Amino acid sequence: MTDVWAAVPVKEFAGAKQRLSGALSPDQREILAATMLEDVLDALSRATRLAGILVNTVDPRAADLARRYGARLVAEDARGGHTGAVLGMAKVLLAEGKGALMTVPGDIPGVTAYEVDTVVSSCLEAPSFTIVPAHDELGSNAVLCAPPAVVPLRFGDDSFFPHLATARRHGIEPTVVRLRGIGMDIDHAADLRMFMRMEEMQRTRTRALLAGLGL
């Protein structure tokens, strides 16, 4: 598969990561959201098997980061939540005849270029569906659809098994790939503690930020 586009939905940084409010101040959460996004964009930009990167956002700081890493900006349903923003990017790619969409969130700072290429390499001939679960086996942290809207997507805290079931209802046996970096999303205080204990996260910008905050 040589025509896979990364698709990153990014909410506005103001008010980001509300579930971390017990551990971080509003300003710290905004900085964390931006730092995690930069780690994700850095990994995507260094992957060798992607055709390009889409970022769906209306946040000016996120847009600046996207441009810095060579990403293409869109705003199709950018305020439609995670699912709406991903579907907006799928519409764009479908309209342009692109081969596949690989969506990842902006809060998996441990992702590596190698992991991105691993997911792309796992993509089977279309129609196909690849998914990387969150570390708790509940969320869907990376989804690769070939073609871009081959399976209806609906993200949330408990989307992994529903996505598997949806793919099968559409006649596609999903490919499941488990990867530590992609699997480590940061939503809760417990995620922060787990992230800080993982040795492979030490070189990320996010870990340096959190260490500087005394976490």
Side-chain angles (χ1 to χ4, degrees), residues 82-125:
H82 190 108
T83 299
V86 171
L87 296 182
M89 289 184 281
K91 292 177 187 175
V92 170
L93 295 176
L94 276 173
E96 297 176 356
K98 306 300 186 187
L101 168 149
M102 175 185 166
T103 185
V104 297
D107 64 351
I108 51 169
V111 60
T112 65
Y114 173 79
E115 288 187 338
V116 173
D117 286 337
T118 296
V119 178
V120 176
S121 296
S122 76
C123 182
L124 303 177
E125 183 178 351

Side-chain angles (χ1 to χ4, degrees), residues 103-175:
T103 185
V104 297
D107 64 351
I108 51 169
V111 60
T112 65
Y114 173 79
E115 288 187 338
V116 173
D117 286 337
T118 296
V119 178
V120 176
S121 296
S122 76
C123 182
L124 303 177
E125 183 178 351
S128 67
F129 181 82
T130 299
I131 188 166
V132 182
H135 63 89
D136 57 8
E137 297 269 316
L138 294 176
S140 307
N141 281 17
V143 173
L144 198 162
C145 294
V150 69
V151 170
L153 301 176
R154 187 176 182 85
F155 293 91
D157 290 338
D158 189 15
S159 63
F160 173 54
F161 288 103
H163 275 147
L164 297 181
T166 301
R168 290 173 178 136
R169 283 198 302 272
H170 285 74
I172 299 171
E173 182 57 32
T175 299

Side-chain angles (χ1 to χ4, degrees), residues 26-64:
D27 287 347
Q28 289 172 334
R29 297 198 307 272
E30 287 189 35
I31 295 169
L32 174 62
T35 304
M36 291 193 296
L37 176 62
E38 184 165 8
D39 277 329
V40 171
L41 291 173
D42 183 33
L44 293 174
S45 71
R46 289 184 290 105
T48 61
R49 299 186 67 94
L50 288 173
I53 306 167
L54 281 184
V55 172
N56 194 348
T57 191
V58 293
D59 187 287
R61 289 172 294 174
D64 286 344

